[in-house]
Amino acid sequence: MITAQDTDILKQILPKIDYIDAGKEAVRKACETAKQYKFATVCVYPTWTKYASTLMQGTGIDILIAVGFPHGSANTEGKVSEAMQICIGIGWLLQQKKQSQ
């Protein structure tokens, strides 16, 4: 049985999808794991922000978006592109939050 202390520790763990070709099923599994163990966040690539946010809506679990992940070797143009995807994702999240209020 998971205790309150265990839950506090689990909330500090950041589950992540740490392989380049992570697909929709991997994102879904990571989100389900985060829900099951009440993690603080789920870390996904920018392209999966909207999907993961939909899966995690109403759970209180945040989405952590990785730029330049896993090793930061993308050139400046690549990082700017990733950051733009994040901005689009954040805009979508804000819109969803506003609509749900």
Side-chain angles (χ1 to χ4, degrees), residues 73-90:
S73 65
N75 62 20
T76 301
E77 186 176 299
K79 289 179 182 173
V80 167
S81 175
E82 286 187 50
M84 292 299 293
Q85 290 179 43
I86 290 170
C87 291
I88 291 167
I90 289 172

Side-chain angles (χ1 to χ4, degrees), residues 38-52:
K38 298 177 175 44
F39 288 144
T41 66
V42 171
C43 184
V44 298
Y45 292 107
T47 53
W48 293 111
T49 304
K50 191 182 293 186
Y51 178 63

Side-chain angles (χ1 to χ4, degrees), residues 6-94:
D6 294 332
T7 301
D8 290 340
I9 292 168
L10 290 171
K11 285 182 180 179
Q12 296 175 38
I13 299 172
L14 302 177
K16 65 183 187 299
I17 300 167
D18 58 359
Y19 43 94
I20 301 299
D21 59 348
K24 191 172 189 176
E25 180 62 13
V27 173
R28 187 194 65 73
K29 285 181 180 179
C31 289
E32 289 302 316
T33 300
K35 288 178 192 177
Q36 179 181 357
Y37 295 106
K38 298 177 175 44
F39 288 144
T41 66
V42 171
C43 184
V44 298
Y45 292 107
T47 53
W48 293 111
T49 304
K50 191 182 293 186
Y51 178 63
S53 297
T54 300
L55 294 175
M56 301 311 289
Q57 190 169 13
T59 65
I61 298 172
D62 293 325
I63 305 299
L64 178 67
I65 306 159
V67 175
F69 186 79
H71 41 71
S73 65
N75 62 20
T76 301
E77 186 176 299
K79 289 179 182 173
V80 167
S81 175
E82 286 187 50
M84 292 299 293
Q85 290 179 43
I86 290 170
C87 291
I88 291 167
I90 289 172
W92 181 85
L93 288 173
L94 292 173

